Amino acid sequence: MSTLHHLPSEGQIAKQIRQIFFPLGIHCPKCRRRYDYKIQGRYFCKKCRLKFSKKRCTPFAHSKLSEKQLWFLLSAWLAQLSPQDTRGITGLSYPTIHRWFVRFSKLLPDFSPVLGGTVEVDEAFIGKKKYDNQTVVLGAIARDSGQITVRAVLSREQGDSGRLILDHVRPASLICTDANPNYDHLPEFFGYGHEVCNHGMGPLWTDQPG
Ligand SMILES: [Zn+2]
């Protein structure tokens, strides 16, 4: 189970927040030019005569959540915690966590393709668990386009597979997986169609009978 143990330090989080939200420095939210100077912890744009906080330039700007909840939410996202673990830490509902995770996933630069239509998802294991060096690699392939995306994850747990799907598969696509119960939450939590395929019966590309 993923835990708070995996969370980066406060300094690392601050660094990641800067990298994610302000890769080119802080800019005026109105005119988008670089701020001119800082007054009492707030930034000032001379052109717009606008004073603004750093929070206003992030997706947290109009959130009613507490700073602590937002901090943990982003930390959980960065540490790739599952929705279940994130709920345990933040006390937020699944729909709220889902909404924020989708926002974060849109903000993060990602060069992997987003797949749609019927998408096969499966995992591969590299290394040996008994030597504690096993890496789980989740892969997804779109049946129609043949586009592929892969990601190494912390574990085979529900949240890790869900994250790959959420990030790389369009909403309302049909996901085909093996009978692993970790995928059972897909329709309920993410709103995807879900079909259980028996990969042992043949190649991934074969349409299921009936
Ligand atoms: Zn401005």
Side-chain angles (χ1 to χ4, degrees):
M1 189 182 180
S2 301
T3 66
L4 269 175
H5 179 72
H6 296 296
L7 285 176
S9 71
E10 215 166 319
Q12 286 170 322
I13 287 167
K15 192 178 163 195
Q16 284 165 330
I17 288 173
R18 272 202 310 277
Q19 286 171 342
I20 291 167
F21 298 122
F22 312 108
L24 302 173
I26 292 171
H27 293 76
C28 170
K30 204 169 165 190
C31 70
R32 299 286 163 200
R33 63 192 275 278
R34 199 172 156 77
Y35 77 96
D36 293 286
Y37 48 84
K38 233 174 139 178
I39 319 165
Q40 294 168 342
R42 288 163 71 83
Y43 298 85
F44 184 69
C45 170
K46 273 203 281 193
K47 190 181 167 195
C48 307
R49 311 291 302 163
L50 184 71
K51 257 188 241 170
F52 58 94
S53 66
K54 206 164 24 172
K55 186 183 173 192
R56 185 163 165 187
C57 307
T58 70
F60 303 139
H62 305 292
S63 171
K64 287 176 186 161
L65 299 179
S66 73
E67 273 192 3
K68 194 178 168 191
Q69 282 174 318
L70 291 168
W71 189 85
F72 276 122
L73 203 52
L74 182 62
S75 305
W77 165 260
L78 293 170
Q80 303 200 342
L81 296 196
S82 69
Q84 291 88 335
D85 292 336
T86 307
R87 189 180 184 188
I89 294 164
T90 60
L92 299 172
S93 67
Y94 283 133
T96 303
I97 294 167
H98 182 213
R99 199 167 58 242
W100 281 100
F101 276 13
V102 170
R103 278 183 205 175
F104 293 147
S105 71
K106 284 179 182 162
L107 286 163
L108 286 170
D110 197 332
F111 302 104
S112 303
V114 176
L115 315 179
T118 302
V119 180
E120 303 261 5
V121 177
D122 206 355
E123 62 260 342
F125 302 90
I126 297 165
K128 292 250 190 282
K129 203 172 185 177
K130 67 176 175 181
Y131 300 129
D132 201 27
N133 67 353
Q134 191 176 68
T135 302
V136 183
V137 179
L138 274 168
I141 181 165
R143 269 192 197 164
D144 292 338
S145 65
Q147 283 185 304
I148 290 173
T149 188
V150 289
R151 179 189 283 183
V153 294
L154 291 172
S155 73
R156 207 189 174 196
E157 283 179 19
Q158 195 178 75
D160 295 324
S161 53
R163 286 290 301 278
L164 172 97
I165 292 165
L166 184 62
D167 290 351
H168 296 290
V169 183
R170 280 191 205 100
S173 297
L174 177 66
I175 312 279
C176 297
T177 68
D178 60 19
N180 183 336
N182 283 340
Y183 296 112
D184 289 351
H185 67 303
L186 288 171
E188 188 192 351
F189 188 76
F190 295 118
Y192 291 106
H194 184 213
E195 189 177 278
V196 175
C197 317
N198 186 347
H199 295 321
M201 292 292 283
L204 290 175
W205 306 104
T206 307
D207 285 329
Q208 297 303 297

